[in-house]
Amino acid sequence: MKIASIDLGECPVLLAPMEDVTDPAFRLMCKEFGADMVYTEFVSADALIRAVSKTEQKLAISDAERPVAIQIYGRDVDTMVEAARIVEQARPDIIDLNFGCPVKRVAGKGAGAGMLQNVPLMLQITRAVVRAVSIPVTVKTRLGWDEGHKIIVDLAEQLQDCGIRALTIHGRTRAQMYTGEADWTLIGAVKQNPRMHIPIIGNGDVTTPQRARECFDRYGVDAIMIGRASFGRPWIFREVKHYLETGEQLPDPGPAWKLDVLRRQVADSVRLLDERRGILHVRRHLAASPLFKGIPNFRDTRIAMLRAETQEELSAIFRQIEPLLGIEH
C-alpha cells in the first residue's frame, strides 16, 4: 500500500494517534515491534499558532520512527492552514487531520468529531490544508455523528475530492465514543465503493492477530490501525505482523520478557521526555497492560503504579510484582 509516494508494504499495521499515549518513546518502541507507520498525539492548531510550548514539543519527531504522521485538529480554516504550515516545517512524512476525536472538550467545541455536524466546513478546511502544504494530507474520522447520521460512504468521496491521499475510518459514531462494538461493515462499504481510489485504513477493536487478518480479508481495507489494544502491550505489533505474514501465532514470550519491555518503556519515556512527563505518559500503559490482568488483589498495586512519580518508585513496584507473575531470579 502506498500513501502518495510512501510505500508501507503489504497489509500494513499502523499505530493510532492517541493523546497522552503516543509519545516519542512509545512510537519508537511500537516501530521496533513492527508498526509500519506511527502517529503523534494530536496537536491543537489553536495552541500551535499561539506557540504554546507544550504543544510545540509534540512536533518532535526523529528519523528512527519514519514514516511518521503529525495529526492536527481545529475548527477554523485559517488556523488549520497556518498550523499545517508550521507542522510541515517539522518535516513529518504526512499531515493527518483529526475529524474523529469524540471527547467533549474537542468535539463539543466543533473540532474533531464535531466536524461531522458541519461537513461543508470540514471539506473547506481539508481543501485549504491540502493546497497549503506540499506533503501528503490524510484524514481520520468516524462513521458519523450518531446512529441516525452514518454519513461516511458519501463523506469519504467528498474528502477524496478535496485531495487527501488516504482516509482512516474508526468504526464508531461520535455518540458511541469508545463503547459498543466497532462496525466495520461501513468501512468495508467505503472500500468497495468503485469511486474510491485512495487507501482506506480501518480502525476500531483490532485486539488480536486473528481479528487483524479478518479485517483485511473480510472488509478489504488497505491497512489497519491499532489504538487502545497497544496500551501496555507494544508487542502487539510483533504478534500481528507475524500472524499476517505466516498464518501462525507467535509463542508467548512469557511474563519476564513482557515486564522487561515495560521497564524499558518507562526508561525510554523518562529519557526522551523527562522524569515527570515520562512517568505521566507511561502510567496509562501500565494501568491497562494485559500483563497484570488476572493477578488477584491487584487493585492497590495498580493504584500505586498510577500514583508513582519517579522511575525508582515504579522499579520498586515492578520488583514486588515479579513473584506475583511467577518470575524467579
Side-chain angles (χ1 to χ4, degrees), residues 195-228:
R195 289 185 289 274
M196 294 300 295
H197 57 78
I198 60 173
I200 302 300
I201 303 161
N203 174 224
D205 296 348
V206 180
T207 58
T208 66
Q210 293 80 1
R211 178 58 175 162
R213 179 79 270 169
E214 182 187 13
C215 290
F216 280 113
D217 293 347
R218 187 170 174 187
Y219 304 105
V221 291
D222 298 284
I224 58 165
M225 183 177 276
I226 294 178
R228 288 175 295 160

PDB file of all heavy atoms in Angstrom, residues 195-228:
ATOM      1  N   ARG A 195     -15.923   4.237  -6.750  1.00  0.00           N
ATOM      2  CA  ARG A 195     -15.422   5.600  -6.984  1.00  0.00           C
ATOM      3  C   ARG A 195     -14.245   5.963  -6.077  1.00  0.00           C
ATOM      4  O   ARG A 195     -13.608   6.994  -6.270  1.00  0.00           O
ATOM      5  CB  ARG A 195     -16.554   6.615  -6.808  1.00  0.00           C
ATOM      6  CG  ARG A 195     -17.590   6.548  -7.935  1.00  0.00           C
ATOM      7  CD  ARG A 195     -18.640   7.635  -7.807  1.00  0.00           C
ATOM      8  NE  ARG A 195     -19.531   7.397  -6.685  1.00  0.00           N
ATOM      9  CZ  ARG A 195     -20.624   6.632  -6.736  1.00  0.00           C
ATOM     10  NH1 ARG A 195     -20.951   6.019  -7.857  1.00  0.00           N
ATOM     11  NH2 ARG A 195     -21.402   6.483  -5.678  1.00  0.00           N
ATOM     12  N   MET A 196     -13.980   5.118  -5.089  1.00  0.00           N
ATOM     13  CA  MET A 196     -12.864   5.403  -4.176  1.00  0.00           C
ATOM     14  C   MET A 196     -11.570   4.819  -4.731  1.00  0.00           C
ATOM     15  O   MET A 196     -11.528   3.657  -5.141  1.00  0.00           O
ATOM     16  CB  MET A 196     -13.135   4.811  -2.791  1.00  0.00           C
ATOM     17  CG  MET A 196     -14.306   5.436  -2.045  1.00  0.00           C
ATOM     18  SD  MET A 196     -14.153   7.200  -1.736  1.00  0.00           S
ATOM     19  CE  MET A 196     -12.730   7.234  -0.640  1.00  0.00           C
ATOM     20  N   HIS A 197     -10.532   5.633  -4.748  1.00  0.00           N
ATOM     21  CA  HIS A 197      -9.240   5.151  -5.253  1.00  0.00           C
ATOM     22  C   HIS A 197      -8.084   5.421  -4.291  1.00  0.00           C
ATOM     23  O   HIS A 197      -6.965   4.984  -4.535  1.00  0.00           O
ATOM     24  CB  HIS A 197      -8.937   5.738  -6.636  1.00  0.00           C
ATOM     25  CG  HIS A 197      -8.941   7.241  -6.667  1.00  0.00           C
ATOM     26  ND1 HIS A 197      -7.886   8.002  -6.208  1.00  0.00           N
ATOM     27  CD2 HIS A 197      -9.894   8.109  -7.101  1.00  0.00           C
ATOM     28  CE1 HIS A 197      -8.190   9.285  -6.372  1.00  0.00           C
ATOM     29  NE2 HIS A 197      -9.391   9.391  -6.892  1.00  0.00           N
ATOM     30  N   ILE A 198      -8.354   6.118  -3.175  1.00  0.00           N
ATOM     31  CA  ILE A 198      -7.292   6.328  -2.182  1.00  0.00           C
ATOM     32  C   ILE A 198      -7.316   5.170  -1.177  1.00  0.00           C
ATOM     33  O   ILE A 198      -8.336   4.491  -1.027  1.00  0.00           O
ATOM     34  CB  ILE A 198      -7.451   7.679  -1.441  1.00  0.00           C
ATOM     35  CG1 ILE A 198      -8.808   7.744  -0.703  1.00  0.00           C
ATOM     36  CG2 ILE A 198      -7.271   8.853  -2.397  1.00  0.00           C
ATOM     37  CD1 ILE A 198      -8.968   8.972   0.187  1.00  0.00           C
ATOM     38  N   PRO A 199      -6.205   4.912  -0.475  1.00  0.00           N
ATOM     39  CA  PRO A 199      -6.193   3.846   0.528  1.00  0.00           C
ATOM     40  C   PRO A 199      -7.188   4.114   1.658  1.00  0.00           C
ATOM     41  O   PRO A 199      -7.351   5.252   2.106  1.00  0.00           O
ATOM     42  CB  PRO A 199      -4.758   3.868   1.052  1.00  0.00           C
ATOM     43  CG  PRO A 199      -3.953   4.528  -0.016  1.00  0.00           C
ATOM     44  CD  PRO A 199      -4.862   5.527  -0.648  1.00  0.00           C
ATOM     45  N   ILE A 200      -7.839   3.038   2.094  1.00  0.00           N
ATOM     46  CA  ILE A 200      -8.771   3.100   3.224  1.00  0.00           C
ATOM     47  C   ILE A 200      -8.175   2.295   4.376  1.00  0.00           C
ATOM     48  O   ILE A 200      -7.856   1.116   4.229  1.00  0.00           O
ATOM     49  CB  ILE A 200     -10.156   2.536   2.846  1.00  0.00           C
ATOM     50  CG1 ILE A 200     -10.749   3.313   1.652  1.00  0.00           C
ATOM     51  CG2 ILE A 200     -11.102   2.585   4.052  1.00  0.00           C
ATOM     52  CD1 ILE A 200     -10.947   4.809   1.892  1.00  0.00           C
ATOM     53  N   ILE A 201      -8.037   2.969   5.522  1.00  0.00           N
ATOM     54  CA  ILE A 201      -7.434   2.377   6.721  1.00  0.00           C
ATOM     55  C   ILE A 201      -8.541   2.174   7.748  1.00  0.00           C
ATOM     56  O   ILE A 201      -9.275   3.111   8.067  1.00  0.00           O
ATOM     57  CB  ILE A 201      -6.338   3.296   7.287  1.00  0.00           C
ATOM     58  CG1 ILE A 201      -5.266   3.576   6.215  1.00  0.00           C
ATOM     59  CG2 ILE A 201      -5.713   2.696   8.547  1.00  0.00           C
ATOM     60  CD1 ILE A 201      -4.410   4.804   6.496  1.00  0.00           C
ATOM     61  N   GLY A 202      -8.676   0.949   8.248  1.00  0.00           N
ATOM     62  CA  GLY A 202      -9.723   0.644   9.217  1.00  0.00           C
ATOM     63  C   GLY A 202      -9.193   0.676  10.633  1.00  0.00           C
ATOM     64  O   GLY A 202      -8.066   0.265  10.912  1.00  0.00           O
ATOM     65  N   ASN A 203     -10.036   1.162  11.563  1.00  0.00           N
ATOM     66  CA  ASN A 203      -9.629   1.342  12.958  1.00  0.00           C
ATOM     67  C   ASN A 203     -10.811   1.003  13.867  1.00  0.00           C
ATOM     68  O   ASN A 203     -11.942   1.331  13.550  1.00  0.00           O
ATOM     69  CB  ASN A 203      -9.181   2.800  13.153  1.00  0.00           C
ATOM     70  CG  ASN A 203      -8.854   3.164  14.596  1.00  0.00           C
ATOM     71  OD1 ASN A 203      -9.246   4.222  15.060  1.00  0.00           O
ATOM     72  ND2 ASN A 203      -8.154   2.320  15.304  1.00  0.00           N
ATOM     73  N   GLY A 204     -10.504   0.322  14.973  1.00  0.00           N
ATOM     74  CA  GLY A 204     -11.541   0.028  15.953  1.00  0.00           C
ATOM     75  C   GLY A 204     -11.588  -1.433  16.327  1.00  0.00           C
ATOM     76  O   GLY A 204     -11.900  -2.285  15.503  1.00  0.00           O
ATOM     77  N   ASP A 205     -11.242  -1.740  17.582  1.00  0.00           N
ATOM     78  CA  ASP A 205     -11.352  -3.094  18.140  1.00  0.00           C
ATOM     79  C   ASP A 205     -10.458  -4.133  17.466  1.00  0.00           C
ATOM     80  O   ASP A 205     -10.789  -5.319  17.481  1.00  0.00           O
ATOM     81  CB  ASP A 205     -12.811  -3.586  18.084  1.00  0.00           C
ATOM     82  CG  ASP A 205     -13.749  -2.758  18.949  1.00  0.00           C
ATOM     83  OD1 ASP A 205     -13.244  -1.954  19.758  1.00  0.00           O
ATOM     84  OD2 ASP A 205     -14.974  -2.902  18.809  1.00  0.00           O
ATOM     85  N   VAL A 206      -9.337  -3.720  16.897  1.00  0.00           N
ATOM     86  CA  VAL A 206      -8.377  -4.714  16.413  1.00  0.00           C
ATOM     87  C   VAL A 206      -7.485  -5.059  17.608  1.00  0.00           C
ATOM     88  O   VAL A 206      -6.558  -4.326  17.940  1.00  0.00           O
ATOM     89  CB  VAL A 206      -7.537  -4.182  15.227  1.00  0.00           C
ATOM     90  CG1 VAL A 206      -6.553  -5.256  14.769  1.00  0.00           C
ATOM     91  CG2 VAL A 206      -8.441  -3.763  14.077  1.00  0.00           C
ATOM     92  N   THR A 207      -7.807  -6.165  18.264  1.00  0.00           N
ATOM     93  CA  THR A 207      -7.141  -6.507  19.524  1.00  0.00           C
ATOM     94  C   THR A 207      -6.350  -7.808  19.453  1.00  0.00           C
ATOM     95  O   THR A 207      -5.619  -8.128  20.390  1.00  0.00           O
ATOM     96  CB  THR A 207      -8.172  -6.625  20.662  1.00  0.00           C
ATOM     97  OG1 THR A 207      -9.132  -7.631  20.302  1.00  0.00           O
ATOM     98  CG2 THR A 207      -8.896  -5.304  20.893  1.00  0.00           C
ATOM     99  N   THR A 208      -6.510  -8.560  18.360  1.00  0.00           N
ATOM    100  CA  THR A 208      -5.797  -9.832  18.221  1.00  0.00           C
ATOM    101  C   THR A 208      -5.252  -9.973  16.804  1.00  0.00           C
ATOM    102  O   THR A 208      -5.777  -9.349  15.867  1.00  0.00           O
ATOM    103  CB  THR A 208      -6.726 -11.035  18.480  1.00  0.00           C
ATOM    104  OG1 THR A 208      -7.724 -11.079  17.444  1.00  0.00           O
ATOM    105  CG2 THR A 208      -7.394 -10.944  19.843  1.00  0.00           C
ATOM    106  N   PRO A 209      -4.237 -10.803  16.614  1.00  0.00           N
ATOM    107  CA  PRO A 209      -3.736 -11.062  15.266  1.00  0.00           C
ATOM    108  C   PRO A 209      -4.812 -11.643  14.347  1.00  0.00           C
ATOM    109  O   PRO A 209      -4.888 -11.295  13.158  1.00  0.00           O
ATOM    110  CB  PRO A 209      -2.604 -12.073  15.501  1.00  0.00           C
ATOM    111  CG  PRO A 209      -2.141 -11.821  16.898  1.00  0.00           C
ATOM    112  CD  PRO A 209      -3.379 -11.456  17.646  1.00  0.00           C
ATOM    113  N   GLN A 210      -5.676 -12.484  14.898  1.00  0.00           N
ATOM    114  CA  GLN A 210      -6.722 -13.107  14.086  1.00  0.00           C
ATOM    115  C   GLN A 210      -7.728 -12.067  13.598  1.00  0.00           C
ATOM    116  O   GLN A 210      -8.190 -12.132  12.450  1.00  0.00           O
ATOM    117  CB  GLN A 210      -7.447 -14.196  14.904  1.00  0.00           C
ATOM    118  CG  GLN A 210      -6.590 -15.398  15.239  1.00  0.00           C
ATOM    119  CD  GLN A 210      -5.637 -15.184  16.437  1.00  0.00           C
ATOM    120  OE1 GLN A 210      -5.619 -14.111  17.060  1.00  0.00           O
ATOM    121  NE2 GLN A 210      -4.840 -16.203  16.748  1.00  0.00           N
ATOM    122  N   ARG A 211      -8.071 -11.136  14.468  1.00  0.00           N
ATOM    123  CA  ARG A 211      -9.004 -10.078  14.057  1.00  0.00           C
ATOM    124  C   ARG A 211      -8.370  -9.192  12.990  1.00  0.00           C
ATOM    125  O   ARG A 211      -9.044  -8.753  12.061  1.00  0.00           O
ATOM    126  CB  ARG A 211      -9.408  -9.242  15.275  1.00  0.00           C
ATOM    127  CG  ARG A 211     -10.336  -8.073  14.963  1.00  0.00           C
ATOM    128  CD  ARG A 211     -11.632  -8.501  14.301  1.00  0.00           C
ATOM    129  NE  ARG A 211     -12.540  -7.372  14.128  1.00  0.00           N
ATOM    130  CZ  ARG A 211     -13.565  -7.367  13.294  1.00  0.00           C
ATOM    131  NH1 ARG A 211     -13.835  -8.430  12.553  1.00  0.00           N
ATOM    132  NH2 ARG A 211     -14.349  -6.313  13.193  1.00  0.00           N
ATOM    133  N   ALA A 212      -7.083  -8.939  13.099  1.00  0.00           N
ATOM    134  CA  ALA A 212      -6.390  -8.147  12.076  1.00  0.00           C
ATOM    135  C   ALA A 212      -6.510  -8.823  10.712  1.00  0.00           C
ATOM    136  O   ALA A 212      -6.833  -8.183   9.705  1.00  0.00           O
ATOM    137  CB  ALA A 212      -4.920  -7.968  12.455  1.00  0.00           C
ATOM    138  N   ARG A 213      -6.248 -10.115  10.676  1.00  0.00           N
ATOM    139  CA  ARG A 213      -6.357 -10.874   9.420  1.00  0.00           C
ATOM    140  C   ARG A 213      -7.766 -10.797   8.856  1.00  0.00           C
ATOM    141  O   ARG A 213      -7.969 -10.608   7.655  1.00  0.00           O
ATOM    142  CB  ARG A 213      -5.965 -12.331   9.688  1.00  0.00           C
ATOM    143  CG  ARG A 213      -6.037 -13.285   8.502  1.00  0.00           C
ATOM    144  CD  ARG A 213      -4.841 -13.134   7.587  1.00  0.00           C
ATOM    145  NE  ARG A 213      -5.049 -12.149   6.533  1.00  0.00           N
ATOM    146  CZ  ARG A 213      -4.082 -11.691   5.745  1.00  0.00           C
ATOM    147  NH1 ARG A 213      -2.837 -12.103   5.926  1.00  0.00           N
ATOM    148  NH2 ARG A 213      -4.330 -10.807   4.808  1.00  0.00           N
ATOM    149  N   GLU A 214      -8.759 -10.949   9.743  1.00  0.00           N
ATOM    150  CA  GLU A 214     -10.156 -10.908   9.317  1.00  0.00           C
ATOM    151  C   GLU A 214     -10.519  -9.557   8.705  1.00  0.00           C
ATOM    152  O   GLU A 214     -11.245  -9.485   7.713  1.00  0.00           O
ATOM    153  CB  GLU A 214     -11.076 -11.201  10.509  1.00  0.00           C
ATOM    154  CG  GLU A 214     -12.545 -11.235  10.130  1.00  0.00           C
ATOM    155  CD  GLU A 214     -13.465 -11.357  11.344  1.00  0.00           C
ATOM    156  OE1 GLU A 214     -13.000 -11.177  12.485  1.00  0.00           O
ATOM    157  OE2 GLU A 214     -14.665 -11.613  11.139  1.00  0.00           O
ATOM    158  N   CYS A 215     -10.002  -8.476   9.294  1.00  0.00           N
ATOM    159  CA  CYS A 215     -10.325  -7.133   8.785  1.00  0.00           C
ATOM    160  C   CYS A 215      -9.790  -6.933   7.376  1.00  0.00           C
ATOM    161  O   CYS A 215     -10.447  -6.318   6.528  1.00  0.00           O
ATOM    162  CB  CYS A 215      -9.786  -6.068   9.734  1.00  0.00           C
ATOM    163  SG  CYS A 215     -10.678  -6.000  11.301  1.00  0.00           S
ATOM    164  N   PHE A 216      -8.591  -7.447   7.113  1.00  0.00           N
ATOM    165  CA  PHE A 216      -8.059  -7.371   5.745  1.00  0.00           C
ATOM    166  C   PHE A 216      -8.888  -8.236   4.795  1.00  0.00           C
ATOM    167  O   PHE A 216      -9.278  -7.791   3.716  1.00  0.00           O
ATOM    168  CB  PHE A 216      -6.601  -7.830   5.716  1.00  0.00           C
ATOM    169  CG  PHE A 216      -5.613  -6.784   6.159  1.00  0.00           C
ATOM    170  CD1 PHE A 216      -4.893  -6.934   7.335  1.00  0.00           C
ATOM    171  CD2 PHE A 216      -5.400  -5.641   5.394  1.00  0.00           C
ATOM    172  CE1 PHE A 216      -3.975  -5.965   7.737  1.00  0.00           C
ATOM    173  CE2 PHE A 216      -4.487  -4.669   5.788  1.00  0.00           C
ATOM    174  CZ  PHE A 216      -3.775  -4.832   6.964  1.00  0.00           C
ATOM    175  N   ASP A 217      -9.168  -9.460   5.199  1.00  0.00           N
ATOM    176  CA  ASP A 217      -9.809 -10.417   4.296  1.00  0.00           C
ATOM    177  C   ASP A 217     -11.285 -10.111   4.068  1.00  0.00           C
ATOM    178  O   ASP A 217     -11.790 -10.212   2.953  1.00  0.00           O
ATOM    179  CB  ASP A 217      -9.674 -11.847   4.845  1.00  0.00           C
ATOM    180  CG  ASP A 217      -8.231 -12.330   4.837  1.00  0.00           C
ATOM    181  OD1 ASP A 217      -7.392 -11.672   4.188  1.00  0.00           O
ATOM    182  OD2 ASP A 217      -7.948 -13.356   5.484  1.00  0.00           O
ATOM    183  N   ARG A 218     -11.982  -9.753   5.139  1.00  0.00           N
ATOM    184  CA  ARG A 218     -13.439  -9.596   5.046  1.00  0.00           C
ATOM    185  C   ARG A 218     -13.860  -8.229   4.530  1.00  0.00           C
ATOM    186  O   ARG A 218     -14.852  -8.111   3.802  1.00  0.00           O
ATOM    187  CB  ARG A 218     -14.044  -9.850   6.426  1.00  0.00           C
ATOM    188  CG  ARG A 218     -15.544  -9.896   6.459  1.00  0.00           C
ATOM    189  CD  ARG A 218     -16.014 -10.398   7.816  1.00  0.00           C
ATOM    190  NE  ARG A 218     -17.455 -10.331   7.947  1.00  0.00           N
ATOM    191  CZ  ARG A 218     -18.108 -10.586   9.078  1.00  0.00           C
ATOM    192  NH1 ARG A 218     -17.440 -10.954  10.156  1.00  0.00           N
ATOM    193  NH2 ARG A 218     -19.425 -10.503   9.145  1.00  0.00           N
ATOM    194  N   TYR A 219     -13.120  -7.208   4.909  1.00  0.00           N
ATOM    195  CA  TYR A 219     -13.539  -5.846   4.562  1.00  0.00           C
ATOM    196  C   TYR A 219     -12.672  -5.203   3.491  1.00  0.00           C
ATOM    197  O   TYR A 219     -12.991  -4.120   2.994  1.00  0.00           O
ATOM    198  CB  TYR A 219     -13.597  -4.973   5.822  1.00  0.00           C
ATOM    199  CG  TYR A 219     -14.501  -5.566   6.871  1.00  0.00           C
ATOM    200  CD1 TYR A 219     -13.974  -6.192   7.996  1.00  0.00           C
ATOM    201  CD2 TYR A 219     -15.886  -5.555   6.707  1.00  0.00           C
ATOM    202  CE1 TYR A 219     -14.805  -6.776   8.955  1.00  0.00           C
ATOM    203  CE2 TYR A 219     -16.725  -6.133   7.656  1.00  0.00           C
ATOM    204  CZ  TYR A 219     -16.181  -6.749   8.768  1.00  0.00           C
ATOM    205  OH  TYR A 219     -17.005  -7.334   9.700  1.00  0.00           O
ATOM    206  N   GLY A 220     -11.555  -5.833   3.148  1.00  0.00           N
ATOM    207  CA  GLY A 220     -10.746  -5.376   2.031  1.00  0.00           C
ATOM    208  C   GLY A 220      -9.955  -4.109   2.263  1.00  0.00           C
ATOM    209  O   GLY A 220      -9.473  -3.496   1.303  1.00  0.00           O
ATOM    210  N   VAL A 221      -9.809  -3.699   3.535  1.00  0.00           N
ATOM    211  CA  VAL A 221      -9.094  -2.447   3.802  1.00  0.00           C
ATOM    212  C   VAL A 221      -7.637  -2.549   3.347  1.00  0.00           C
ATOM    213  O   VAL A 221      -7.080  -3.640   3.218  1.00  0.00           O
ATOM    214  CB  VAL A 221      -9.153  -2.065   5.297  1.00  0.00           C
ATOM    215  CG1 VAL A 221     -10.562  -1.665   5.691  1.00  0.00           C
ATOM    216  CG2 VAL A 221      -8.635  -3.196   6.181  1.00  0.00           C
ATOM    217  N   ASP A 222      -7.044  -1.401   3.103  1.00  0.00           N
ATOM    218  CA  ASP A 222      -5.645  -1.358   2.659  1.00  0.00           C
ATOM    219  C   ASP A 222      -4.672  -1.447   3.828  1.00  0.00           C
ATOM    220  O   ASP A 222      -3.523  -1.864   3.661  1.00  0.00           O
ATOM    221  CB  ASP A 222      -5.395  -0.060   1.877  1.00  0.00           C
ATOM    222  CG  ASP A 222      -6.252   0.002   0.632  1.00  0.00           C
ATOM    223  OD1 ASP A 222      -5.932  -0.694  -0.350  1.00  0.00           O
ATOM    224  OD2 ASP A 222      -7.266   0.727   0.648  1.00  0.00           O
ATOM    225  N   ALA A 223      -5.124  -1.009   5.016  1.00  0.00           N
ATOM    226  CA  ALA A 223      -4.289  -1.046   6.219  1.00  0.00           C
ATOM    227  C   ALA A 223      -5.210  -1.085   7.420  1.00  0.00           C
ATOM    228  O   ALA A 223      -6.398  -0.741   7.326  1.00  0.00           O
ATOM    229  CB  ALA A 223      -3.370   0.174   6.291  1.00  0.00           C
ATOM    230  N   ILE A 224      -4.665  -1.513   8.545  1.00  0.00           N
ATOM    231  CA  ILE A 224      -5.412  -1.422   9.800  1.00  0.00           C
ATOM    232  C   ILE A 224      -4.625  -0.558  10.775  1.00  0.00           C
ATOM    233  O   ILE A 224      -3.407  -0.427  10.671  1.00  0.00           O
ATOM    234  CB  ILE A 224      -5.682  -2.802  10.437  1.00  0.00           C
ATOM    235  CG1 ILE A 224      -4.366  -3.547  10.709  1.00  0.00           C
ATOM    236  CG2 ILE A 224      -6.632  -3.625   9.592  1.00  0.00           C
ATOM    237  CD1 ILE A 224      -4.530  -4.730  11.637  1.00  0.00           C
ATOM    238  N   MET A 225      -5.363   0.031  11.711  1.00  0.00           N
ATOM    239  CA  MET A 225      -4.751   0.894  12.718  1.00  0.00           C
ATOM    240  C   MET A 225      -5.110   0.351  14.094  1.00  0.00           C
ATOM    241  O   MET A 225      -6.272   0.033  14.348  1.00  0.00           O
ATOM    242  CB  MET A 225      -5.262   2.327  12.536  1.00  0.00           C
ATOM    243  CG  MET A 225      -4.651   3.346  13.461  1.00  0.00           C
ATOM    244  SD  MET A 225      -5.281   5.010  13.090  1.00  0.00           S
ATOM    245  CE  MET A 225      -4.192   5.503  11.763  1.00  0.00           C
ATOM    246  N   ILE A 226      -4.096   0.216  14.950  1.00  0.00           N
ATOM    247  CA  ILE A 226      -4.305  -0.294  16.299  1.00  0.00           C
ATOM    248  C   ILE A 226      -4.142   0.847  17.294  1.00  0.00           C
ATOM    249  O   ILE A 226      -3.155   1.582  17.251  1.00  0.00           O
ATOM    250  CB  ILE A 226      -3.309  -1.431  16.608  1.00  0.00           C
ATOM    251  CG1 ILE A 226      -3.616  -2.636  15.704  1.00  0.00           C
ATOM    252  CG2 ILE A 226      -3.365  -1.826  18.078  1.00  0.00           C
ATOM    253  CD1 ILE A 226      -2.665  -3.807  15.887  1.00  0.00           C
ATOM    254  N   GLY A 227      -5.132   0.984  18.181  1.00  0.00           N
ATOM    255  CA  GLY A 227      -5.104   2.048  19.169  1.00  0.00           C
ATOM    256  C   GLY A 227      -5.006   1.511  20.574  1.00  0.00           C
ATOM    257  O   GLY A 227      -3.935   1.135  21.052  1.00  0.00           O
ATOM    258  N   ARG A 228      -6.158   1.398  21.255  1.00  0.00           N
ATOM    259  CA  ARG A 228      -6.152   1.066  22.684  1.00  0.00           C
ATOM    260  C   ARG A 228      -5.549  -0.310  22.981  1.00  0.00           C
ATOM    261  O   ARG A 228      -5.049  -0.531  24.082  1.00  0.00           O
ATOM    262  CB  ARG A 228      -7.580   1.162  23.235  1.00  0.00           C
ATOM    263  CG  ARG A 228      -8.083   2.609  23.364  1.00  0.00           C
ATOM    264  CD  ARG A 228      -9.529   2.659  23.789  1.00  0.00           C
ATOM    265  NE  ARG A 228     -10.407   2.082  22.778  1.00  0.00           N
ATOM    266  CZ  ARG A 228     -11.635   1.650  23.018  1.00  0.00           C
ATOM    267  NH1 ARG A 228     -12.124   1.685  24.246  1.00  0.00           N
ATOM    268  NH2 ARG A 228     -12.389   1.160  22.047  1.00  0.00           N
TER     269      ARG A 228
END
